[in-house]
């Protein structure tokens, strides 16, 4: 087990896990009075937390990357991360004309209808050519750690159970609706019935009112 853990650690650069666990877009503690105090930078050489643009003055000769945000999730441009990390198998997205990847998983309640491929870790819908939705999911999905494998299996079972419950609920709802409809009284055909019941019989012809007077003369 120790060998497997060491293998996982050596598979990835030492800065990757600290990067994924860092909170970005918070105010810098060292430059709180500056309007550029938002921390959206990260030094791959120091791995000492999120940095603001003013902090970069102390990391001039280091490898620094910029973190961006999309729908409250952290992303990084492919052009930056692919220089230092293999991102094969991770789905990329185009946001603001730039291709990016997400740092951490974004699980969905259940896959949408017609989905044929999902993330191997969090079950998010993916294009058919990808295996993971984020860098964090790739680490978890390729890990040999037994705990990680159990987590992946648990996520898949939970997602499958949720899909079955959803399907069962939908099916029962349809059956219930059908039953209710079947108990409703059938609507009579008022047109036919009323036509037959109100059809006027052929009456006895009446003479003209002054016909008898004419005969008397």
């Amino acid at each position: 087990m120790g060998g497997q853990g060491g293998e996982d650690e050596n598979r990835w650069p030492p800065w990757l896990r600290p990067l994924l666990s860092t909170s970005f877009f918070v105010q810098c503690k060292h430059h709180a009075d500056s309007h550029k105090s938002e921390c959206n930078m990260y030094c791959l050489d120091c791995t000492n937390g999120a940095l603001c643009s003013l902090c970069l003055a102390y990391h001039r000769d280091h490898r620094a990357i910029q973190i961006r945000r999309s729908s409250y999730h952290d992303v990084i441009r492919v052009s930056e991360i692919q220089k230092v990390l293999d991102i094969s198998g991770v789905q990329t997205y185009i946001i603001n004309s730039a291709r990016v990847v997400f740092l951490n998983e974004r699980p969905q309640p259940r896959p949408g209808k017609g989905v044929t491929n999902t993330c191997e870790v969090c079950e998010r819908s993916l294009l058919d050519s990808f295996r993971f939705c984020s860098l964090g999911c790739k680490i978890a999905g390729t890990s040999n750690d037994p705990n990680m494998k159990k987590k992946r299996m648990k996520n898949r079972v939970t997602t499958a159970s949720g899909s079955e419950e959803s399907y069962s609920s939908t099916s029962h709802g349809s059956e219930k609706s059908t039953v209710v409809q079947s108990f409703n009284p059938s609507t009579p055909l008022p047109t036919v019935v009323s036509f037959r019941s109100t059809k006027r019989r052929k009456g006895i012809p009446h003479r003209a009112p002054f016909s008898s007077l004419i005969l008397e003369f």
Side-chain angles (χ1 to χ4, degrees), residues 16-205:
L16 183 54
R17 292 181 187 275
L19 168 66
L20 300 182
S21 61
T22 299
S23 297
F24 293 95
F25 300 96
V26 296
Q27 189 178 48
C28 179
K29 298 178 180 179
H30 305 291
H31 305 95
D33 297 333
S34 173
H35 67 282
K36 297 181 179 181
S37 61
E38 186 178 61
C39 294
N40 63 342
M41 306 295 296
Y42 190 82
C43 179
L44 303 182
D45 296 314
C46 296
T47 64
N48 57 347
L51 307 173
C52 73
S53 58
L54 298 178
C55 292
L56 291 181
Y58 303 97
H59 302 265
R60 291 180 180 176
D61 298 328
H62 297 175
R63 297 172 299 168
I65 58 176
Q66 182 176 357
I67 305 301
R68 305 168 194 274
R69 178 153 287 192
S70 173
S71 301
Y72 303 100
H73 294 279
D74 297 334
V75 302
I76 185 172
R77 285 186 174 180
V78 171
S79 59
E80 291 187 60
I81 193 64
Q82 68 181 0
K83 297 177 182 178
V84 292
L85 183 68
D86 175 19
I87 61 172
S88 59
V90 181
Q91 179 162 321
T92 60
Y93 302 82
I94 297 179
I95 300 176
N96 295 331
S97 301
R99 189 170 293 276
V100 302
V101 292
F102 284 85
L103 297 190
N104 293 294
E105 66 180 47
R106 297 172 299 133
Q108 289 176 313
R110 60 179 61 89
K113 294 182 179 179
V115 174
T116 58
N117 186 40
T118 59
C119 176
E120 295 181 8
V121 176
C122 71
E123 301 294 335
R124 170 166 283 274
S125 304
L126 299 177
L127 298 177
D128 291 339
S129 57
F130 297 100
R131 297 176 56 193
F132 309 104
C133 72
S134 63
L135 300 180
C137 284
K138 181 173 182 177
I139 291 180
T142 57
S143 174
N144 292 322
D145 186 350
N147 293 328
M148 286 293 185
K149 292 182 179 180
K150 290 180 180 179
K151 179 182 178 181
R152 295 197 300 269
M153 183 61 66
K154 181 179 180 181
N155 288 342
R156 292 183 181 180
V157 170
T158 301
T159 303
S161 176
S163 299
E164 290 177 0
E165 290 178 0
S166 175
Y167 174 78
S168 176
S169 175
T170 304
S171 300
H172 288 315
S174 301
E175 292 175 1
K176 182 177 180 181
S177 176
T178 304
V179 171
V180 170
Q181 291 178 1
S182 66
F183 274 98
N184 289 336
S186 58
T187 305
L189 300 176
T191 304
V192 176
V193 175
S194 61
F195 174 77
R196 291 180 179 178
S197 61
T198 60
K199 184 177 181 181
R200 180 179 297 177
R201 293 183 180 181
K202 187 175 181 180
I204 301 174

